[in-house]
Each structure stands twice: as C-alpha cells, then as structure tokens.
Amino acid sequence: MKCPKCGYEWQEGHLYCDNCGEEFRIVPDFEPEIEEEMEETLSTLFVELAQEEMPEVDGKEKIFAQKAGERKGKGKERTGRNRGRGWLIGATFFCILAAAFCISGIYWYRNYSMTYQVGRAKECAEQEAYDQAIIYLERAHELDDGNGEILFLMADYYYIQEKYEPAVDTLMEIVEREGGYSKADLENAYDKIISIYNKIEDYESINALLLKCDDDSIVSLFQQYMAKPPEFSYVGGCYEEVLPLKLSANTSGKIYYTLDGSEPDENSQVYTAPIFLETGTYTVKACFINDYGIKSDVVSNMYRIDVLIPAPPEVSVYSGDYYEPYSIEAQAPEDCRIYYTTDGTVPTQDSTLYTSAIPMPLGESVYKFVAISEEGVASDVTVRTYRLSLNTEITVDVAISNVIYALINADVLLDEEGNMRGMSGHNVYKFNSIIRIGENGDYYVIYEYYEDATGIQTRTERIYGVNVQDGTACRITYDEQGQIVLVDI
C-alpha cells in the first residue's frame, strides 16, 4: 500500500506515513465505486442543465434575423419549457442531497461506529490479520473508551501473537483507570494479566501488581502469588516479661529471621515455633519467601526485655559423702516452680517437677535444680552431688529376698518367683529408696509390681519396708494424718 499523498510505500501496522506524516485512514472516506458513480451522475446532470439553459446558436446573423412576431409567438412555448426545466432542476437537487446524505451516512458509519470497527476487527482476526484487527480495535476504543470488551479483545489478539508485553499494557489500562470499569471487568483484567505473567513465570511482576491493589477481594483471589512481609505478634518496644514472639505470613512458604540485626535470607534461621525473647535486647528481622520463590521486603522490630531472674533453688542437703539417708528438700522464690534432673542434663520446664522431699539414693547421684517463674524465666542451676553408703550387712538384694520370704510364710506367694494362686502372672519386687521412719530407724523401701503373661509390669498399691540393720520386713502404710505406719506381714 502506498501513501495517497506522497506515494511512499506504507509500512504495515503504522498509522502515519514515515515520509510525509499523512494519517492512514483505516476506513476510506468513500468506496471508489460509489465515488466514481456519484461523480458521473452529477456531471451528467449539470451538462444537461447547461445545454437546455444555453442552446447552440449558429451565429450573430441568425439571432438578429428573428422577427418580433416570431419571438412573441414562441413566448408561451418558452414558458412551458421553463416550467419543465425548473422541475428537472428541483429533482436533480433532491437527488444530489439524497446522494450526499447517503455518502455522509456511509462515511459516518465507517468512521464513527464502534460496532463497525469491532466487526471489521473480528473479520480480520478470522483471516489471522491480527495487526489490522488491532488497528480497528484502537479506533473502536477511541470511540468508546469505557468498553472493557474492546480492550479484552485487543489483549487476546496480542496474546495470540505472543506479544505479551503489549497485551499486559492493554489490560493495565483497565486496572489503572480508577472507577472507569466494572468490578467484573477489573477482576477479569487481573486474572488475564496474572495468567500472562504466570505463563512466562514472571512471579515478581505478579507480586508487585497485587501489592499495589487496594481491593482486598481481588487480592484474596490471588494471594498465593504474593509475598507480604511477615507480621509480628508483638510490636517493638520494652517489656517486663518474656515474649513468645510469633511470626505469620499471608500464604504458604517459609519465614526466615535473625535476632542480631543482620539481614535474613535463605540461609537464615527458619521460623517454625514461637521465639522466646528473655532478658536482653533483640533486633528481630524477618522476610517471607513464598512457594514461587518470591521474597518479601524485610520487616524489623526491636525489643528490650527486662525481666527479673529468679534466685536459684535452695537445697537443704549439701553435696558430700553420707552414711545414713537424708531427705533432699528444695525451696524456690514465690511464684516459681522447681524442676530437677538426675541424669546430668540441665533442667527445663519439661523435666521432673519437684513436689516434695526426695529420699537420697544409695551410691553416687547428681541432682540439678532450677527455679522457673510464671513468665518462663529460668534461674541459675543448683547442683548437688551425693555419695550414700550404709554401714550394714543388709544389702538391697537381701532386703528384697526378705520381703519375698515373709510373703511366702504369710501364704501370699507360692514361691520365690512371686507366683500366686489363681493368677497367670507373678509379682516382682523392686528397690525404690531409703527413708528414716521416726524412731524405728532407716528402711529400704520396696515397691511391688504385677507382671502379666505378656511381660507388662503394673505397680500395685502395696509398699514394703526392710530395716537396714536387722533386715526385718514389714508393710508400709499411712494413717489418717498421712504419717507412716509399719505393719507386720
């Protein structure tokens, strides 16, 4: 195609001539056939009118030779001819007006009708002439810039040609024009834009697009693509209690954090459970990386925790060598609980809770005690090491045997294996501790267990005591005041 003004070869898809700047009209002002036909009709009409108005004259002599009588005789004839000529002129003028109106209508329809432009665009698209179709749609958009369907159609034609950037730019006009399009158009535009970004795996652009969106309902539809900064369960500041700081994200992914003020990344600590901030100063920084690898901005809070550390537990028996049993008692500050271990580990809230005096065990033992406040603050650890040995010939094994023989003599057990009448299982006896029972002296404490045919042991309610000096076996019970009472077997 050539420019009608300068004849320069027109580049396909350009709206103006690259040589002279002449605008390219998508729809011609007139169809060539109609224009030629109108010119021929109008030319013919004007020629006929001119011939009748000015008939051919042979010469001057012929005109002046006319007689006065002949002129008068032809007066009536000329009057009739003038009337016919007037009718012809009127009819011709009407035809000219009708033709001009028709041509103007065609011109208006083809240049100012949005429906015509869209129809021609679809026809071009059916022939896969998408660039030409887009030109028609651009004209349609000029005529009706509030019609979202035009932009959607234009974006589709770009998308078919894999021109993703102009497709997104076209849809962004709907997104960025506040209040210009319906809610349905807006949701559809976001959906199409995100589909394009998803196809080319540009998840960063999806995240940036949604972060700018003020419509929560739209954001919620696509929040899996977003990477918002993590939210903190406590605002930064000073606190007089231990903080169980929680971090949360808007969708699935991982939260990374640091406590020393350094920038978090994929190599930092992964958040899995509340972070307990005890006494001290912390600069907590965190970021979120979603399942698409999108990293959020880093969020930071500073915390200053000033909590009183409770005093360590006071233990009644000091470390050392002992030759008689003692009860180990521990005390802690008010509003604190005491926990202890005997395996050498540091006690925590998951360790054994201290509730009453602990009988000192035979041999060497290591006790570690800690006081923990209601706020979860732990004291320093109190450590005690004991070595208990008794000056007696009655050993633990002897004490257990004495209990079994006493029960056999009392017809409770059938034999040394602990068998009983009518029972498929048998009894087992185990040493527990050594206690001092008032003026009666020191006793080995023996617990009784029932072991069934499968080997499972269950402790019974019967407790036995054996005097560490003479080996006498008896039952240990308690009176109404909770005092220990010894009962013969």
Side-chain angles (χ1 to χ4, degrees):
M1 182 182 295
K2 294 185 178 181
C3 175
K5 183 175 181 180
C6 67
Y8 187 78
E9 188 67 27
W10 213 301
Q11 298 296 321
E12 183 178 356
H14 290 204
L15 297 179
Y16 297 90
C17 177
D18 293 336
N19 183 45
C20 66
E22 176 72 9
E23 181 182 5
F24 171 56
R25 296 184 178 276
I26 302 171
V27 182
D29 290 345
F30 305 98
E31 292 289 344
E33 295 82 357
I34 297 177
E35 185 175 4
E36 291 177 3
E37 184 178 347
M38 290 302 303
E39 288 180 355
E40 182 179 351
T41 301
L42 293 177
S43 298
T44 302
L45 289 173
F46 280 117
V47 168
E48 291 179 355
L49 288 175
Q51 288 178 347
E52 292 195 9
E53 184 67 26
M54 298 180 63
E56 184 180 355
V57 179
D58 293 337
K60 259 184 188 181
E61 295 82 1
K62 195 173 183 178
I63 295 175
F64 286 105
Q66 299 294 332
K67 295 180 180 180
E70 291 177 352
R71 293 177 182 173
K72 186 175 181 181
K74 293 181 180 180
K76 292 181 180 181
E77 181 181 350
R78 182 170 296 176
T79 300
R81 292 178 60 188
N82 287 340
R83 288 178 181 176
R85 190 180 299 114
W87 179 86
L88 181 60
I89 293 172
T92 302
F93 181 72
F94 176 79
C95 290
I96 293 172
L97 287 178
F101 180 80
C102 179
I103 295 171
S104 298
I106 294 173
Y107 174 80
W108 182 91
Y109 177 72
R110 296 192 175 185
N111 284 274
Y112 297 98
S113 170
M114 183 272 293
T115 303
Y116 175 80
Q117 306 298 329
V118 173
R120 290 290 292 144
K122 292 180 178 179
E123 291 175 4
C124 291
E126 290 176 358
Q127 301 172 7
E128 298 185 357
Y130 296 110
D131 288 337
Q132 189 66 28
I134 290 171
I135 293 175
Y136 278 110
L137 290 176
E138 288 174 345
R139 175 57 180 162
H141 182 56
E142 292 177 2
L143 298 173
D144 187 359
D145 62 356
N147 191 325
E149 293 302 320
I150 296 174
L151 294 177
F152 289 131
L153 200 58
M154 192 185 305
D156 288 343
Y157 293 160
Y158 278 126
Y159 184 84
I160 292 172
Q161 301 177 85
E162 297 184 353
K163 297 179 178 180
Y164 301 124
E165 184 174 350
V168 170
D169 292 340
T170 300
L171 295 168
M172 286 298 294
E173 183 172 337
I174 298 176
V175 171
E176 295 175 348
R177 183 173 175 180
E178 185 175 356
Y181 296 91
S182 67
K183 181 66 176 295
D185 283 347
L186 193 60
E187 291 182 358
N188 195 13
Y190 272 100
D191 184 50
K192 286 180 176 290
I193 292 173
I194 290 174
S195 295
I196 294 173
Y197 283 144
N198 190 44
K199 179 178 178 60
I200 61 179
E201 297 183 354
D202 186 1
Y203 303 114
E204 292 283 357
S205 295
I206 298 178
N207 182 59
L209 174 69
L210 294 174
L211 287 176
K212 295 179 181 178
C213 181
D214 297 328
D215 193 323
D216 293 338
S217 63
I218 291 178
V219 171
S220 65
L221 294 174
F222 308 101
Q223 65 175 345
Q224 70 271 21
Y225 294 101
M226 298 185 68
K228 290 184 177 180
E231 294 184 358
F232 289 62
S233 59
Y234 291 90
V235 298
C238 297
Y239 294 86
E240 295 181 352
E241 60 181 343
V242 174
L243 291 188
L245 181 62
K246 296 180 181 179
L247 307 179
S248 59
N250 64 294
T251 186
S252 59
K254 292 182 179 179
I255 298 175
Y256 298 88
Y257 72 94
T258 60
L259 301 178
D260 58 2
S262 60
E263 293 298 308
D265 56 26
E266 293 88 340
N267 299 318
S268 302
Q269 183 72 29
V270 178
Y271 174 83
T272 56
I275 307 167
F276 287 92
L277 303 180
E278 299 181 356
T279 298
T281 301
Y282 305 85
T283 299
V284 184
K285 289 188 175 183
C287 68
F288 171 66
I289 300 180
N290 67 13
D291 290 340
Y292 295 92
I294 306 304
K295 180 180 179 181
S296 74
D297 293 335
V298 175
V299 63
S300 175
N301 272 338
M302 180 175 287
Y303 300 92
R304 182 174 181 178
I305 312 300
D306 187 11
V307 180
L308 293 176
I309 299 176
E314 295 182 0
V315 181
S316 61
V317 183
Y318 292 97
S319 299
D321 296 328
Y322 291 87
Y323 301 97
E324 58 183 65
Y326 284 86
S327 293
I328 305 169
E329 297 181 353
Q331 290 184 341
E334 189 177 358
D335 299 329
C336 289
R337 288 188 173 187
I338 300 175
Y339 297 86
Y340 70 93
T341 62
T342 59
D343 58 2
T345 59
V346 176
T348 65
Q349 286 179 313
D350 296 326
S351 302
T352 304
L353 176 65
Y354 173 86
T355 56
S356 60
I358 305 169
M360 182 182 295
L362 276 174
E364 184 172 335
S365 58
V366 177
Y367 282 82
K368 291 186 177 182
F369 299 87
V370 69
I372 299 180
S373 66
E374 292 181 346
E375 293 79 17
V377 180
S379 70
D380 292 334
V381 176
T382 300
V383 181
R384 292 289 186 267
T385 301
Y386 305 109
R387 289 174 294 274
L388 174 61
S389 60
L390 300 177
N391 186 16
T392 179
E393 295 180 357
I394 306 299
T395 64
V396 171
D397 291 338
V398 171
I400 293 175
S401 296
N402 289 351
V403 170
I404 293 174
Y405 288 133
L407 293 174
I408 292 174
N409 292 333
D411 202 24
V412 175
L413 298 179
L414 296 177
D415 52 35
E416 295 179 6
E417 301 299 326
N419 293 309
M420 296 175 291
R421 292 182 180 85
M423 303 295 291
S424 60
H426 62 278
N427 286 348
V428 177
Y429 298 90
K430 295 181 180 181
F431 167 76
N432 176 261
S433 60
I434 300 175
I435 62 173
R436 175 161 290 176
I437 304 176
E439 298 178 354
N440 297 303
D442 299 329
Y443 282 77
Y444 293 111
V445 177
I446 310 297
Y447 284 171
E448 182 184 77
Y449 294 83
Y450 175 74
E451 183 176 309
D452 62 20
T454 63
I456 297 176
Q457 295 182 356
T458 304
R459 181 182 163 186
T460 70
E461 296 180 353
R462 288 181 288 275
I463 302 175
Y464 298 94
V466 177
N467 189 289
V468 299
Q469 297 301 326
D470 59 19
T472 303
C474 59
R475 280 196 64 182
I476 296 177
T477 61
Y478 295 87
D479 60 18
E480 295 179 355
Q481 285 73 38
Q483 299 298 318
I484 294 177
V485 177
L486 298 177
V487 179
D488 293 336
I489 296 177

